[in-house]
Amino acid sequence: MKLIGVSEQFLVLLGRENNDQIHRHYDIQLQIPTSSMIINGKRTTDQVLIDSNVKHITSFADGDMLSFLIHPESRIGQNIRRHYFKSDRIATAHLSGLVEQIKVIYESMTDLNRLKRVTHTILDRFIIDPSDLQQLDDRVTDMLNCIHSADLAHLQLADVLNSVHLSKSRLTHLFKNEMKISVMRYMTWTRLFRAAQSLVFSNASITATAHQFGFADASHFSRVFKESFGYCPKRLVQEKKTTVSFMF
């Protein structure tokens, strides 16, 4: 698949998908086939939403597929989790007209503004009651602000925990209870998304980017990036000339 968009909240890919190995990603996946796909042995023409860290196999897809990899704790990720994963962590939707909109994406590859609008329109159709979002505990909000404003090359867990006057054990429990993810995993996810943006919009090497965002080396960065997105940094760099920036 080819990366066509990156933002603070999601990545967008388009093309053929055929991963016959059991795998899982930290991101929430929204997969929109233009024909049909097989997910965990079941063929469907519906759109498929897969929650964070759920093992699955996408063994074959007829035709191309539009795929969104969504930050689980972003506003979009929260909304999808709240409304689609009530009884099952793999859900389906049956929205009409999406195949025609995907065709418009192909026709808009040289018109970036139109491409951006169409991609947003498709994703917006899956958002239900956008005002219905979780209100985070103020102490968790303070921790998030610390992470987002920090120099990620040097940020340590202790820095985040010391930004709030509460015991380490209570803070880590509170954060995971509110965010459904550990502080360390959230820090890693933030590093990955910032690194992806840097690779697309700068001329920095993969090694320099790895160090800039707090990874030990390029090998470690590439491994964690591939595990999270199913997409390696080297490929991102190769395709960045045709990558579009989507920003909410």
Side-chain angles (χ1 to χ4, degrees):
M1 300 186 79
K2 182 180 182 60
L3 181 73
I4 63 170
V6 57
S7 82
E8 287 282 357
Q9 300 193 68
F10 59 87
L11 304 181
V12 192
L13 300 98
L14 180 64
R16 296 291 178 108
E17 172 71 10
N18 190 11
N19 191 340
D20 58 1
Q21 301 296 316
I22 296 177
H23 63 286
R24 61 183 178 183
H25 306 298
Y26 172 64
D27 48 85
I28 293 172
Q29 297 177 74
L30 166 58
Q31 299 179 333
I32 306 173
T34 57
S35 180
S36 67
M37 60 181 290
I38 298 176
I39 181 79
N40 291 345
K42 297 181 179 180
R43 181 177 292 273
T44 182
T45 58
D46 290 342
Q47 301 91 42
V48 177
L49 299 100
I50 306 170
D51 200 1
S52 173
N53 287 321
V54 173
K55 292 181 179 180
H56 61 282
I57 301 175
T58 306
S59 59
F60 183 79
D62 294 330
D64 289 349
M65 178 161 50
L66 183 68
S67 181
F68 291 87
L69 307 180
I70 302 166
H71 190 321
E73 308 313 328
S74 67
R75 293 177 66 83
I76 298 171
Q78 284 186 47
N79 185 279
I80 288 175
R81 269 188 160 168
R82 185 179 297 270
H83 294 287
Y84 288 95
F85 302 132
K86 294 179 179 179
S87 59
D88 197 342
R89 297 184 67 196
I90 297 180
T92 58
H94 189 67
L95 304 183
S96 62
L98 294 180
V99 173
E100 288 73 18
Q101 289 180 304
I102 293 174
K103 290 178 182 178
V104 174
I105 288 179
Y106 277 110
E107 296 168 357
S108 306
M109 286 299 183
T110 59
D111 185 342
L112 300 189
N113 287 329
R114 187 186 184 202
L115 180 57
K116 181 177 178 179
R117 288 195 304 272
V118 174
T119 306
H120 279 200
T121 297
I122 292 173
L123 184 56
D124 285 347
R125 293 191 61 189
F126 291 89
I127 306 303
I128 300 172
D129 189 10
S131 64
D132 182 23
L133 294 174
Q134 174 187 5
Q135 297 299 313
L136 296 175
D137 185 286
D138 289 343
R139 292 163 294 186
V140 173
T141 299
D142 288 342
M143 294 170 74
L144 293 174
N145 289 338
C146 176
I147 294 170
H148 294 158
S149 62
D151 176 359
L152 295 177
H154 302 103
L155 181 66
Q156 301 294 322
L157 176 61
D159 299 325
V160 180
L161 297 179
N162 290 337
S163 68
V164 179
H165 299 295
L166 198 65
S167 70
K168 177 181 177 180
S169 60
R170 289 185 65 190
L171 275 178
T172 52
H173 176 76
L174 176 64
F175 190 96
K176 189 164 186 177
N177 185 59
E178 293 269 319
M179 300 295 293
K180 307 301 185 283
I181 180 178
S182 70
V183 182
M184 284 297 295
R185 191 67 186 88
Y186 187 89
M187 290 167 62
T188 299
W189 181 258
T190 302
R191 287 186 166 107
L192 288 170
F193 252 78
R194 296 277 182 85
Q197 290 178 312
S198 179
L199 287 174
V200 170
F201 301 116
S202 77
N203 293 319
S205 67
I206 292 175
T207 298
T209 300
H211 292 156
Q212 179 184 354
F213 293 98
F215 294 92
D217 51 44
S219 177
H220 176 229
F221 169 57
S222 296
R223 183 173 64 255
V224 176
F225 195 100
K226 179 70 178 294
E227 288 173 354
S228 296
F229 299 128
Y231 201 91
C232 65
K234 182 177 180 180
R235 186 174 166 192
L236 179 62
V237 171
Q238 291 171 340
E239 297 180 354
K240 71 178 184 178
K241 289 184 179 180
T242 56
T243 297
V244 184
S245 169
F246 297 107
M247 300 300 292
F248 275 110

CSV table of all heavy atoms in Angstrom, one decimal, residues 1-4 13 231 234-243:
chain,number,residue,atom,x,y,z
A,1,MET,N,0.8,-1.2,0.0
A,1,MET,CA,0.0,0.0,0.0
A,1,MET,C,0.9,1.2,0.0
A,1,MET,O,2.0,1.2,0.5
A,1,MET,CB,-0.9,0.0,1.2
A,1,MET,CG,-1.9,-1.2,1.3
A,1,MET,SD,-3.1,-1.0,2.6
A,1,MET,CE,-4.3,0.1,1.9
A,2,LYS,N,0.3,2.3,-0.5
A,2,LYS,CA,1.1,3.6,-0.6
A,2,LYS,C,0.6,4.6,0.4
A,2,LYS,O,-0.6,4.8,0.5
A,2,LYS,CB,0.9,4.1,-2.0
A,2,LYS,CG,1.7,5.4,-2.3
A,2,LYS,CD,1.5,5.8,-3.8
A,2,LYS,CE,2.3,7.1,-4.1
A,2,LYS,NZ,3.8,6.8,-4.0
A,3,LEU,N,1.5,5.2,1.1
A,3,LEU,CA,1.1,6.3,2.0
A,3,LEU,C,0.7,7.5,1.3
A,3,LEU,O,1.5,8.0,0.4
A,3,LEU,CB,2.2,6.6,3.0
A,3,LEU,CG,1.9,7.7,4.0
A,3,LEU,CD1,1.0,7.1,5.1
A,3,LEU,CD2,3.2,8.1,4.7
A,4,ILE,N,-0.5,8.1,1.5
A,4,ILE,CA,-0.9,9.3,0.8
A,4,ILE,C,-1.2,10.5,1.8
A,4,ILE,O,-1.4,11.6,1.3
A,4,ILE,CB,-2.1,9.1,-0.1
A,4,ILE,CG1,-3.4,8.7,0.8
A,4,ILE,CG2,-1.9,8.1,-1.1
A,4,ILE,CD1,-4.7,8.7,0.0
A,13,LEU,N,-3.4,5.3,3.8
A,13,LEU,CA,-2.7,4.5,2.8
A,13,LEU,C,-3.7,4.0,1.8
A,13,LEU,O,-4.9,3.8,2.1
A,13,LEU,CB,-2.0,3.3,3.4
A,13,LEU,CG,-1.0,3.5,4.5
A,13,LEU,CD1,-1.6,3.4,5.9
A,13,LEU,CD2,0.2,2.6,4.4
A,231,TYR,N,4.3,-0.5,8.4
A,231,TYR,CA,4.9,0.3,7.3
A,231,TYR,C,6.3,0.8,7.7
A,231,TYR,O,6.4,1.3,8.8
A,231,TYR,CB,4.0,1.5,7.1
A,231,TYR,CG,4.1,2.2,5.8
A,231,TYR,CD1,3.2,1.8,4.7
A,231,TYR,CD2,4.9,3.3,5.6
A,231,TYR,CE1,3.3,2.5,3.5
A,231,TYR,CE2,5.0,3.9,4.3
A,231,TYR,CZ,4.2,3.5,3.3
A,231,TYR,OH,4.2,4.2,2.1
A,234,LYS,N,11.8,3.5,5.9
A,234,LYS,CA,12.5,3.6,4.6
A,234,LYS,C,11.5,3.8,3.4
A,234,LYS,O,11.7,4.6,2.5
A,234,LYS,CB,13.3,2.3,4.3
A,234,LYS,CG,14.2,2.4,3.0
A,234,LYS,CD,15.0,1.1,2.9
A,234,LYS,CE,15.8,1.2,1.6
A,234,LYS,NZ,16.7,0.0,1.5
A,235,ARG,N,10.4,3.0,3.5
A,235,ARG,CA,9.4,3.2,2.4
A,235,ARG,C,8.7,4.5,2.5
A,235,ARG,O,8.4,5.1,1.5
A,235,ARG,CB,8.4,2.0,2.6
A,235,ARG,CG,7.3,2.0,1.5
A,235,ARG,CD,6.5,0.8,1.7
A,235,ARG,NE,5.3,0.9,0.9
A,235,ARG,CZ,4.3,0.0,1.0
A,235,ARG,NH1,4.3,-0.9,1.9
A,235,ARG,NH2,3.2,0.2,0.2
A,236,LEU,N,8.5,5.0,3.7
A,236,LEU,CA,7.9,6.3,3.9
A,236,LEU,C,8.8,7.4,3.3
A,236,LEU,O,8.3,8.3,2.6
A,236,LEU,CB,7.8,6.6,5.4
A,236,LEU,CG,7.2,8.0,5.8
A,236,LEU,CD1,5.8,8.1,5.3
A,236,LEU,CD2,7.2,8.2,7.3
A,237,VAL,N,10.1,7.3,3.4
A,237,VAL,CA,11.0,8.3,2.8
A,237,VAL,C,11.0,8.2,1.3
A,237,VAL,O,11.0,9.2,0.6
A,237,VAL,CB,12.5,8.0,3.4
A,237,VAL,CG1,13.5,8.9,2.6
A,237,VAL,CG2,12.5,8.4,4.8
A,238,GLN,N,10.9,7.0,0.8
A,238,GLN,CA,10.9,6.8,-0.7
A,238,GLN,C,9.7,7.4,-1.3
A,238,GLN,O,9.7,7.8,-2.4
A,238,GLN,CB,11.0,5.3,-1.0
A,238,GLN,CG,12.4,4.6,-0.6
A,238,GLN,CD,12.3,3.1,-0.7
A,238,GLN,OE1,11.3,2.5,-0.7
A,238,GLN,NE2,13.5,2.5,-0.8
A,239,GLU,N,8.6,7.4,-0.6
A,239,GLU,CA,7.3,7.8,-1.2
A,239,GLU,C,6.9,9.2,-0.8
A,239,GLU,O,5.8,9.7,-1.2
A,239,GLU,CB,6.2,6.8,-0.8
A,239,GLU,CG,6.4,5.4,-1.3
A,239,GLU,CD,5.3,4.5,-0.9
A,239,GLU,OE1,4.4,4.9,-0.1
A,239,GLU,OE2,5.3,3.3,-1.3
A,240,LYS,N,7.7,9.9,0.0
A,240,LYS,CA,7.3,11.2,0.6
A,240,LYS,C,7.0,12.3,-0.4
A,240,LYS,O,6.3,13.2,-0.2
A,240,LYS,CB,8.3,11.7,1.6
A,240,LYS,CG,9.6,12.2,1.1
A,240,LYS,CD,10.5,12.7,2.3
A,240,LYS,CE,11.8,13.3,1.8
A,240,LYS,NZ,12.5,13.8,3.0
A,241,LYS,N,7.6,12.2,-1.6
A,241,LYS,CA,7.3,13.2,-2.6
A,241,LYS,C,5.9,13.3,-3.0
A,241,LYS,O,5.4,14.3,-3.5
A,241,LYS,CB,8.2,13.0,-3.9
A,241,LYS,CG,9.7,13.3,-3.6
A,241,LYS,CD,10.5,13.1,-4.9
A,241,LYS,CE,12.0,13.5,-4.6
A,241,LYS,NZ,12.8,13.3,-5.9
A,242,THR,N,5.2,12.2,-2.9
A,242,THR,CA,3.7,12.1,-3.2
A,242,THR,C,2.9,12.0,-2.0
A,242,THR,O,1.7,11.7,-2.1
A,242,THR,CB,3.5,10.9,-4.2
A,242,THR,OG1,3.9,9.7,-3.5
A,242,THR,CG2,4.2,11.1,-5.5
A,243,THR,N,3.4,12.2,-0.8
A,243,THR,CA,2.6,12.2,0.4
A,243,THR,C,2.0,13.5,0.7
A,243,THR,O,2.6,14.6,0.5
A,243,THR,CB,3.5,11.8,1.6
A,243,THR,OG1,4.0,10.5,1.4
A,243,THR,CG2,2.7,11.8,2.9
